[in-house]
Amino acid sequence: MRLHTAPDHGVVGAVATGISQAGGIVTAMDVSESSHERLVVDVTCSAADADHAKLLEQAVDEIDGVTVHKTSDRTFLLHLGGKIEVSSKVPMRNRDDLSMAYTPGVGRVSSAIAEHPEDVWRLTTKGNTVAVVTDGSAVLGLGNIGPGAALPVMEGKAALFKRFADIDAWPICLDTQDTDEIVRAVELIAPGFGGINLEDIAAPRCFEIERRLRASLDIPVFHDDQHGTAIVVLAALTNALRVVKKQIADVRIVVSGGGAAGTAIVTLLLAAGAADVVVVDRAGALCADDETLSGAHRQLAEVTNPRRATGDLHTVLTGADVFIGVSAPRILQPEWIKDMATDPVVFALANPDPEVDPVEADKYAAVVASGRSDYPNQINNVLAFPGVFRGLLDARASEITVEMLLRAAKAIAHVVDDDELNPSFIIPTVFHPDVPKAVAAAVRGA
């Protein structure tokens, strides 16, 4: 906050006290201008959230002799002008440099690629470039907010690609939610990229888009909300089961949420050897005997729920070993965990508000994980997608296979060794330097 105050340095102490009494934490305070008429004071303080920040501003503004001139949020400041940029990898110092990087020299390179199309991977950025494609229909937990509002998220994704795998990614925000138009748009831009990362596209449209693009393109297509999530969930579950000394083939698993992420998680769990998985949606357990199921849910029901369990979440959770939530906030009552099997595992991954408060769940579960960074065991897609694409690009892969996903999950899991493994550490931090390297090597090996 930039404050205009009376020319009394005692006001500075009153401001600090007012912020503290309102629950804020002052981290810096500077008198940037002093005169006989007024002081200009810059205050930096920490707030719990945006609403709390407004309360702090109000508390300061109510102090006698103080006017809040301007406020700023460091998250918004970080986004000014966007988070990514294009920079040249070659010098442009003189006419000689220009003649090679651009005309006339570049014409020789273009002619060579026209004669030998496979050289586009070697002589352009294609071999290290990913398109991050969205229609803005399912952005984070914000819903259908459109392509413009999705752009900051896609920029962030591109920045993560660069930070963790040195991949040049670019956000492509499409102003359409028509499946045919999205597929055609991606097909048209595909020659400039080595891979396609589909992001924040609502189900069930995302399934068809991915299926059609995988069939039509000769570069890998990866829907991170599905497969990135599934990889990290399987990695975390692998280690959680190591902690409680159970085998994936022997446990009963309940997955809450039959959307894109839930479907991909179930598919990978089954491929990893899970034998008893029940999916629960708003109406209850998905069962193949239910004639009212939609097409996507029917397909999911046909490969899950071997016991033909029915009922709501609490009913099917009774006796289960594992709960995996990719659905909605606060749908799991902490006390229900007591009805699960011995040493239950709870993954509450809805963001930003999980299916159950991790602190409350920890009272009853042997292992708890969430999608949040402020609790132990954060299940975060950043553990998967940079390394996955690094491996795909290095191998010049044309598609993604289930074997690649399984190997990627195994690689993430085994970054945590036996000495480190415990109920509060089943998954490595996203900043662990070995994770993207291990995942890339696993994908290349597949």
Side-chain angles (χ1 to χ4, degrees):
M1 291 178 278
R2 169 155 284 188
L3 311 178
H4 290 173
T5 80
D8 176 6
H9 285 77
V11 172
V12 173
V15 169
T17 300
I19 291 173
S20 177
Q21 289 176 342
I25 301 173
V26 176
T27 56
M29 184 175 289
D30 301 288
V31 178
S32 61
E33 182 183 319
S34 178
S35 69
H36 294 297
E37 289 76 30
R38 72 178 185 187
L39 300 179
V40 177
V41 182
D42 290 333
V43 181
T44 304
C45 58
S46 296
D49 52 33
D51 290 336
H52 186 213
K54 292 178 181 178
L55 290 176
L56 297 183
E57 179 182 347
Q58 181 180 349
V60 171
D61 203 36
E62 290 175 352
I63 298 172
D64 288 341
V66 177
T67 301
V68 178
H69 175 65
K70 186 179 181 181
T71 61
S72 56
D73 181 322
R74 64 178 182 162
T75 300
F76 281 80
L77 291 175
L78 181 144
H79 282 78
L80 287 177
K83 301 189 293 287
I84 58 175
E85 65 181 3
V86 173
S87 61
S88 177
K89 295 165 65 175
V90 298
M92 297 281 190
R93 298 165 300 193
N94 50 48
R95 293 174 66 180
D96 187 50
D97 291 341
L98 195 60
S99 71
M100 289 188 291
Y102 199 53
T103 185
V106 72
R108 294 172 51 209
V109 179
S110 292
S111 296
I113 293 173
E115 191 171 336
H116 299 285
E118 68 278 5
D119 282 349
V120 70
W121 290 90
R122 186 171 61 89
L123 297 173
T124 72
T125 61
K126 180 182 178 76
N128 196 51
T129 308
V130 169
V132 182
V133 179
T134 188
D135 65 355
S137 60
V139 181
L140 301 178
L142 305 174
N144 189 354
I145 60 175
L151 183 54
V153 181
M154 302 309 117
E155 284 186 5
K157 195 81 171 192
L160 294 173
F161 268 110
K162 190 65 177 179
R163 166 63 176 80
F164 292 105
D166 197 26
I167 292 170
D168 297 315
W170 200 255
I172 306 295
C173 298
L174 301 176
D175 192 14
T176 178
Q177 294 182 0
D178 178 271
T179 297
D180 293 337
E181 289 188 333
I182 293 171
V183 169
R184 188 56 183 147
V186 176
E187 289 173 341
L188 291 171
I189 65 170
F193 297 94
I196 304 295
N197 183 93
L198 300 176
E199 189 78 20
D200 292 349
I201 299 174
R205 184 168 59 252
C206 59
F207 302 130
E208 182 180 355
I209 290 170
E210 182 189 34
R211 178 183 58 77
R212 288 171 57 179
L213 288 174
R214 285 189 170 191
S216 65
L217 298 181
D218 61 356
I219 57 175
V221 178
F222 184 84
H223 186 199
D224 187 47
D225 300 316
Q226 292 185 64
H227 309 301
T229 302
I231 289 169
V232 184
V233 167
L234 177 57
L237 182 59
T238 298
N239 283 347
L241 294 180
R242 285 167 63 191
V243 169
V244 299
K245 295 180 172 53
K246 296 180 182 180
Q247 300 297 317
I248 193 168
D250 301 328
V251 297
R252 287 173 52 187
I253 303 172
V254 174
V255 176
S256 175
T263 300
I265 289 168
V266 168
T267 301
L268 201 59
L269 290 176
L270 295 175
D276 191 335
V277 181
V278 178
V279 180
V280 181
D281 216 329
R282 293 183 183 90
L286 301 187
C287 181
D289 297 333
D290 187 352
E291 299 293 336
T292 67
L293 294 178
S294 65
H297 279 177
R298 171 159 293 282
Q299 291 178 359
L300 201 52
E302 287 173 352
V303 295
T304 59
N305 199 354
R307 294 175 290 104
R308 296 295 191 266
T310 59
D312 60 12
L313 176 60
H314 188 193
T315 300
V316 298
L317 197 62
T318 301
D321 298 273
V322 178
F323 168 83
I324 299 172
V326 278
S327 50
R330 298 176 296 277
I331 62 167
L332 172 61
Q333 297 299 318
E335 296 78 14
W336 296 353
I337 300 172
K338 293 189 293 185
D339 298 327
M340 295 176 66
T342 305
D343 293 329
V345 173
V346 173
F347 290 177
L349 308 182
N351 245 329
D353 298 314
E355 285 82 0
V356 61
D357 183 339
V359 174
E360 292 300 312
D362 195 49
K363 296 176 181 178
Y364 308 104
V367 180
V368 178
S370 74
R372 295 178 58 124
S373 59
D374 51 354
Y375 294 108
N377 297 331
Q378 184 192 19
I379 295 180
N380 192 322
N381 290 14
V382 180
L383 287 163
F385 70 81
V388 167
F389 269 101
R390 181 74 277 159
L392 292 168
L393 293 173
D394 290 348
R396 292 192 186 176
S398 60
E399 62 179 353
I400 297 174
T401 65
V402 172
E403 179 64 19
M404 292 177 182
L405 305 184
L406 291 171
R407 290 199 188 192
K410 184 177 181 180
I412 294 170
H414 283 84
V415 169
V416 180
D417 60 36
D418 290 337
D419 292 335
E420 297 175 306
L421 186 65
N422 65 70
S424 296
F425 192 74
I426 60 170
I427 199 79
T429 169
V430 297
F431 295 103
H432 197 302
D434 293 344
V435 172
K437 297 174 186 176
V439 173
V443 172
R444 279 197 304 271

